[in-house]
Amino acid sequence: MKSIGIDLGTTNSVIATIKNGVPYVIPNNEGSRTTPSIVAYTKDQKILVGQLAKRQSVINPKNTFFSIKRFIGLRKNEIDINLENLPYDIITDTNNNIKIKCPAFNTVFSPEEISAQIIRKLTDDAKTNLNEPITKAVITIPAYFNASQRQATIDAGKIAGLEILRIINEPTAASLAYGLDKKNKTILVFDLGGGTFDVSILDVGDNVFEVLSSTGDINLGGDDFDKNIMSWLIEIFNKKENLNILEYPKSLQRLTEAAEQAKIQLSTHEETEISLPFLITKPKDGGEPRHLNTTLTRTTFEKLNNTLINRCKEPLQKALLDAKLEPIDIDEVVLVGGSTRIPAIRSLIKSIINRKINESANPDEVVAIGAAIQAGIITGEMKKMLLLDVTPLSLGVETLGEVMTKIINRNTTIPASRSKTFITASGTQTSAEINIVQGEREFVSDNKILGCFYLEDLPTHMDNSRSEIKITFDINEDGILAVKAQEKKSKKEKSIIIQNTSTLDENNVQSIIDEAEKYAEQDQEKRKFAELASQAEIFCLEIEKILQLNESTINETEKIKIKTLMNEIKLNIKTKDFNSLQNHYNELKLILDQLTKN
Ligand code: AMP
């Protein structure tokens, strides 16, 4: 019985295992070590996965599903892809969850089901190759995946009939593959795949892998380079032939493939020929068939893609900043993803980090190898090592004034458990709403609500005191969050696990962090006001009680003074007048002090 590691990629997937103590990438039945993450359903009810699915995509665009990883675990309002440009149709169920329409089978599939087909193909082919059953797997996910995307990936594995031992972050897997025999090193993982870009910095030493920072751009990848070549080719062709190639979908598909091929060629050659005979066989102008012949040089390629290449700079610098490191502190750069073979990308990395790039592993395979090593560690086939991943975003709860109070900070090593005790707004409050929030901004409305529950039947307090509620956040090694709330006196408690709920809107983790930085000052002001306002409100409630209880002992002048101040406070909260609120609140506190002294 073998355990395996799967790199379930947006563009391509890879499966590996440990054979005789060393990692081994398992080729698929077509003899290839990478499998396109594409699933197609045909009219004669066949399911094709990988290269076969890719090959027929031109003639079956509505039933050929690619880039499914971009939808897994997300709701429609959270996806970051222009659906207009997709050849297949996306719909939503009543919960706004993404479903993919499959006309050939007259049904709809969830992204998990389609991903499960990819996993099944990988494991079936691996069983054939190894001649052994496969039941257990480690699957990798991008570091920025939220709880629901992680859970959905686990579900895809389960649908494919596997026991998922663990899901691990892709950069951690990559450095695990590189760092096997290394001690005390700081590794930068630069991962540029087909559709996404990630940079992570890890500390590797004494068999401990700790992620120091993780950042990226979920809308940057090799496909964007292809698109730029495409636009260049379309312009050349349309001008020369006086036709609009956009009106010929099959020709466009050939052009897309040629663009990617040209890009790949230019990673090892200074120039490449693009030759597409009979690109349009029957032109609409009734003329002769049209061909495309042109040469693309590396210099032109780099000019066309200059903006994309430069977009890699910022996340690279941000990763260093987040990890509080200088380029000199990086011992090794590890490359992941096919697009890191582009020479201009390598030059860019060298220009910033000024380190020799580790080229000892294949960038397409290194993540799957790391996953296989982790599976081997769990099943005892490899020596023990500890993996320490981090939370990509802060987690907390909503407190008075719609403020987010963080309980677990961003970049905290997981598994992690943190608690904070909160006090209810009043002693007569019988239930507390626990709103679980993810993000970096000060206010709940600017962040993402992951879930909500109520702690009911709180004890009422006759003595003016208030209930204390201890909230505990637990994140397990897969990044799944469990939240527990417990009332201190009655020990009444309630908990939820955040799964199957969407956790991020269409903003990627990075843009959330960037936005938090941008609005930091403004948010701070708002937060200060919200805190003061809620303190003052609670104080007014207390004073009202004191007035009731001491009706006979407080003189009328004092009473009027107090009531006037309380009205002023209410007005100041409404008009958001910080300074007046502070003054009136202080004045009221002074009066109360004097009253209690008398
Ligand atoms: P991945 O998601 O890691 O499988 O990366 C896939 C992306 O890498 C696709 O956009 C490929 O076109 C690109 N790619 C693969 N090989 C090369 C190469 N030799 N040069 C440039 N890009 C490549």
PDB file of all heavy atoms in Angstrom, residues 11-12 193-194 222-223 260 263-264 267 337-339 341-342, ligand 1:
ATOM      1  N   THR A  11      -2.667  24.584 -13.900  1.00  0.00           N
ATOM      2  CA  THR A  11      -2.433  24.233 -15.303  1.00  0.00           C
ATOM      3  C   THR A  11      -2.057  22.761 -15.453  1.00  0.00           C
ATOM      4  O   THR A  11      -2.580  22.071 -16.325  1.00  0.00           O
ATOM      5  CB  THR A  11      -1.277  25.111 -15.867  1.00  0.00           C
ATOM      6  OG1 THR A  11      -1.382  26.397 -15.309  1.00  0.00           O
ATOM      7  CG2 THR A  11      -1.321  25.180 -17.361  1.00  0.00           C
ATOM      8  N   ASN A  12      -1.119  22.316 -14.637  1.00  0.00           N
ATOM      9  CA  ASN A  12      -0.657  20.924 -14.716  1.00  0.00           C
ATOM     10  C   ASN A  12      -0.613  20.306 -13.333  1.00  0.00           C
ATOM     11  O   ASN A  12      -0.433  21.012 -12.343  1.00  0.00           O
ATOM     12  CB  ASN A  12       0.765  20.877 -15.290  1.00  0.00           C
ATOM     13  CG  ASN A  12       0.798  21.304 -16.733  1.00  0.00           C
ATOM     14  OD1 ASN A  12       0.166  20.709 -17.596  1.00  0.00           O
ATOM     15  ND2 ASN A  12       1.533  22.370 -17.017  1.00  0.00           N
ATOM     16  N   GLY A 193       3.638  29.846 -12.073  1.00  0.00           N
ATOM     17  CA  GLY A 193       3.049  28.751 -12.856  1.00  0.00           C
ATOM     18  C   GLY A 193       2.329  29.267 -14.080  1.00  0.00           C
ATOM     19  O   GLY A 193       2.719  30.275 -14.663  1.00  0.00           O
ATOM     20  N   GLY A 194       1.238  28.592 -14.451  1.00  0.00           N
ATOM     21  CA  GLY A 194       0.474  28.984 -15.628  1.00  0.00           C
ATOM     22  C   GLY A 194      -0.436  30.172 -15.337  1.00  0.00           C
ATOM     23  O   GLY A 194      -0.640  31.024 -16.197  1.00  0.00           O
ATOM     24  N   GLY A 222       2.131  32.185 -16.616  1.00  0.00           N
ATOM     25  CA  GLY A 222       2.593  31.941 -17.984  1.00  0.00           C
ATOM     26  C   GLY A 222       1.519  32.215 -19.027  1.00  0.00           C
ATOM     27  O   GLY A 222       1.830  32.669 -20.137  1.00  0.00           O
ATOM     28  N   ASP A 223       0.255  31.969 -18.676  1.00  0.00           N
ATOM     29  CA  ASP A 223      -0.830  32.192 -19.651  1.00  0.00           C
ATOM     30  C   ASP A 223      -0.872  33.649 -20.106  1.00  0.00           C
ATOM     31  O   ASP A 223      -1.235  33.939 -21.253  1.00  0.00           O
ATOM     32  CB  ASP A 223      -2.195  31.846 -19.029  1.00  0.00           C
ATOM     33  CG  ASP A 223      -2.274  30.388 -18.615  1.00  0.00           C
ATOM     34  OD1 ASP A 223      -1.352  29.625 -18.971  1.00  0.00           O
ATOM     35  OD2 ASP A 223      -3.252  30.015 -17.941  1.00  0.00           O
ATOM     36  N   GLU A 260       2.129  29.561 -26.996  1.00  0.00           N
ATOM     37  CA  GLU A 260       2.771  28.917 -25.846  1.00  0.00           C
ATOM     38  C   GLU A 260       4.050  28.204 -26.292  1.00  0.00           C
ATOM     39  O   GLU A 260       5.094  28.301 -25.627  1.00  0.00           O
ATOM     40  CB  GLU A 260       1.812  27.930 -25.166  1.00  0.00           C
ATOM     41  CG  GLU A 260       2.440  27.346 -23.899  1.00  0.00           C
ATOM     42  CD  GLU A 260       1.579  26.322 -23.179  1.00  0.00           C
ATOM     43  OE1 GLU A 260       0.504  25.956 -23.698  1.00  0.00           O
ATOM     44  OE2 GLU A 260       2.007  25.867 -22.094  1.00  0.00           O
ATOM     45  N   LYS A 263       6.825  30.679 -26.806  1.00  0.00           N
ATOM     46  CA  LYS A 263       7.353  31.141 -25.505  1.00  0.00           C
ATOM     47  C   LYS A 263       8.325  30.100 -24.933  1.00  0.00           C
ATOM     48  O   LYS A 263       9.416  30.448 -24.462  1.00  0.00           O
ATOM     49  CB  LYS A 263       6.175  31.360 -24.548  1.00  0.00           C
ATOM     50  CG  LYS A 263       6.563  31.647 -23.124  1.00  0.00           C
ATOM     51  CD  LYS A 263       5.369  31.633 -22.194  1.00  0.00           C
ATOM     52  CE  LYS A 263       4.854  30.213 -21.939  1.00  0.00           C
ATOM     53  NZ  LYS A 263       3.752  30.134 -20.983  1.00  0.00           N
ATOM     54  N   ILE A 264       7.915  28.841 -24.976  1.00  0.00           N
ATOM     55  CA  ILE A 264       8.751  27.768 -24.427  1.00  0.00           C
ATOM     56  C   ILE A 264      10.078  27.679 -25.207  1.00  0.00           C
ATOM     57  O   ILE A 264      11.165  27.565 -24.614  1.00  0.00           O
ATOM     58  CB  ILE A 264       7.975  26.429 -24.417  1.00  0.00           C
ATOM     59  CG1 ILE A 264       6.847  26.518 -23.360  1.00  0.00           C
ATOM     60  CG2 ILE A 264       8.882  25.231 -24.156  1.00  0.00           C
ATOM     61  CD1 ILE A 264       5.879  25.365 -23.337  1.00  0.00           C
ATOM     62  N   SER A 267      12.805  30.112 -24.276  1.00  0.00           N
ATOM     63  CA  SER A 267      13.531  29.929 -23.018  1.00  0.00           C
ATOM     64  C   SER A 267      14.910  29.336 -23.279  1.00  0.00           C
ATOM     65  O   SER A 267      15.813  29.455 -22.466  1.00  0.00           O
ATOM     66  CB  SER A 267      12.747  29.009 -22.084  1.00  0.00           C
ATOM     67  OG  SER A 267      11.627  29.691 -21.595  1.00  0.00           O
ATOM     68  N   GLY A 337       7.405  25.982 -10.843  1.00  0.00           N
ATOM     69  CA  GLY A 337       6.506  26.400 -11.926  1.00  0.00           C
ATOM     70  C   GLY A 337       7.252  26.568 -13.237  1.00  0.00           C
ATOM     71  O   GLY A 337       8.376  27.085 -13.279  1.00  0.00           O
ATOM     72  N   GLY A 338       6.596  26.121 -14.306  1.00  0.00           N
ATOM     73  CA  GLY A 338       7.211  26.113 -15.636  1.00  0.00           C
ATOM     74  C   GLY A 338       7.690  27.486 -16.092  1.00  0.00           C
ATOM     75  O   GLY A 338       8.693  27.601 -16.804  1.00  0.00           O
ATOM     76  N   SER A 339       6.978  28.540 -15.658  1.00  0.00           N
ATOM     77  CA  SER A 339       7.319  29.876 -16.174  1.00  0.00           C
ATOM     78  C   SER A 339       8.617  30.419 -15.602  1.00  0.00           C
ATOM     79  O   SER A 339       9.120  31.441 -16.081  1.00  0.00           O
ATOM     80  CB  SER A 339       6.175  30.853 -15.879  1.00  0.00           C
ATOM     81  OG  SER A 339       4.988  30.344 -16.392  1.00  0.00           O
ATOM     82  N   ARG A 341      11.251  29.151 -16.099  1.00  0.00           N
ATOM     83  CA  ARG A 341      12.300  28.859 -17.089  1.00  0.00           C
ATOM     84  C   ARG A 341      12.535  30.041 -18.021  1.00  0.00           C
ATOM     85  O   ARG A 341      13.486  30.037 -18.804  1.00  0.00           O
ATOM     86  CB  ARG A 341      11.898  27.627 -17.909  1.00  0.00           C
ATOM     87  CG  ARG A 341      11.902  26.344 -17.115  1.00  0.00           C
ATOM     88  CD  ARG A 341      12.090  25.157 -18.063  1.00  0.00           C
ATOM     89  NE  ARG A 341      12.125  23.911 -17.321  1.00  0.00           N
ATOM     90  CZ  ARG A 341      11.042  23.221 -17.014  1.00  0.00           C
ATOM     91  NH1 ARG A 341       9.861  23.650 -17.380  1.00  0.00           N
ATOM     92  NH2 ARG A 341      11.147  22.089 -16.348  1.00  0.00           N
ATOM     93  N   ILE A 342      11.669  31.031 -17.971  1.00  0.00           N
ATOM     94  CA  ILE A 342      11.832  32.208 -18.838  1.00  0.00           C
ATOM     95  C   ILE A 342      13.099  32.959 -18.381  1.00  0.00           C
ATOM     96  O   ILE A 342      13.198  33.375 -17.218  1.00  0.00           O
ATOM     97  CB  ILE A 342      10.587  33.134 -18.743  1.00  0.00           C
ATOM     98  CG1 ILE A 342       9.361  32.391 -19.262  1.00  0.00           C
ATOM     99  CG2 ILE A 342      10.811  34.450 -19.472  1.00  0.00           C
ATOM    100  CD1 ILE A 342       8.037  33.107 -19.041  1.00  0.00           C
TER     101      ILE A 342
HETATM  102  P1  AMP B   1       2.898  24.952 -14.041  1.00  0.00           P
HETATM  103  O1  AMP B   1       1.601  25.585 -13.597  1.00  0.00           O
HETATM  104  O2  AMP B   1       3.954  24.984 -13.052  1.00  0.00           O
HETATM  105  O3  AMP B   1       2.693  23.624 -14.669  1.00  0.00           O
HETATM  106  O4  AMP B   1       3.428  25.915 -15.225  1.00  0.00           O
HETATM  107  C1  AMP B   1       2.813  25.956 -16.450  1.00  0.00           C
HETATM  108  C2  AMP B   1       3.279  27.186 -17.178  1.00  0.00           C
HETATM  109  O5  AMP B   1       4.675  27.099 -17.411  1.00  0.00           O
HETATM  110  C3  AMP B   1       2.603  27.293 -18.521  1.00  0.00           C
HETATM  111  O6  AMP B   1       2.236  28.656 -18.745  1.00  0.00           O
HETATM  112  C4  AMP B   1       3.708  26.879 -19.455  1.00  0.00           C
HETATM  113  O7  AMP B   1       3.557  27.466 -20.736  1.00  0.00           O
HETATM  114  C5  AMP B   1       4.937  27.404 -18.768  1.00  0.00           C
HETATM  115  N1  AMP B   1       6.173  26.753 -19.204  1.00  0.00           N
HETATM  116  C6  AMP B   1       6.457  25.425 -19.187  1.00  0.00           C
HETATM  117  N2  AMP B   1       7.693  25.206 -19.669  1.00  0.00           N
HETATM  118  C7  AMP B   1       8.212  26.436 -19.996  1.00  0.00           C
HETATM  119  C8  AMP B   1       9.451  26.880 -20.560  1.00  0.00           C
HETATM  120  N3  AMP B   1      10.404  26.037 -20.900  1.00  0.00           N
HETATM  121  N4  AMP B   1       9.614  28.210 -20.744  1.00  0.00           N
HETATM  122  C9  AMP B   1       8.647  29.091 -20.408  1.00  0.00           C
HETATM  123  N5  AMP B   1       7.465  28.734 -19.892  1.00  0.00           N
HETATM  124  C10 AMP B   1       7.238  27.417 -19.690  1.00  0.00           C
END
